[in-house]
Amino acid sequence: MMYAGPKARRSSYVAWLLLRSMVVTVVLVLTCALPAHAYVGPGAGFAVLSSFLSLLLASLQAILAFLTWPIRQFFRLLRRRRTYRDAMTKRVVIIGLDGMDPVLTERFMNQGKLPNLARLRECGTFRRLGTTLP
């Protein structure tokens, strides 16, 4: 058995890659040349049209907001509203625990299982948030 050096192995690998790329190219050319038989229903057209319209409307709204920004700032200056600076309350934190019953939260705070929430209740104001039904 003869020893094939690294150059011989490399050249055979390059030849194999070249042959493989030629076969892939021929297959792609033949498949693209044949007519495609597919049915695209009207729902696909409606989906493309609605996506295009929503992108168009969002773009138009963004352009309108950008163009009317100086006018809105002018009217804001005319009204001289300084609500944030003259506010009585400096900070408000609303904590809502998704999926947790407010009765259980109060019970756990009274039992000492939620000490941080109990401390927040003692330092500030505590009110129940209403729960929603599906």
Side-chain angles (χ1 to χ4, degrees), residues 4-18:
K7 285 187 177 181
R9 281 188 293 204
R10 192 176 328 144
S11 64
S12 65
Y13 181 70
V14 169
W16 179 80
L17 281 178
L18 193 65

Side-chain angles (χ1 to χ4, degrees), residues 64-120:
L64 182 68
F66 181 72
L67 291 177
T68 59
W69 179 78
I71 298 168
R72 289 182 287 136
Q73 291 300 322
F74 177 71
F75 282 118
R76 186 173 290 160
L77 284 174
L78 284 179
R79 289 186 293 178
R80 294 184 184 171
R81 293 183 66 182
R82 304 200 191 312
T83 55
Y84 299 118
R85 188 174 43 173
D86 299 335
M88 301 285 283
T89 305
K90 296 297 180 191
R91 290 184 200 154
V92 174
V93 176
I94 298 174
I95 298 176
L97 302 175
D98 188 26
M100 188 167 185
D101 188 23
V103 175
L104 288 176
T105 306
E106 289 178 2
R107 183 185 317 157
F108 292 153
M109 284 191 309
N110 293 335
Q111 292 175 357
K113 293 181 180 177
L114 298 173
N116 294 328
L117 286 179
R119 197 171 325 128
L120 283 173

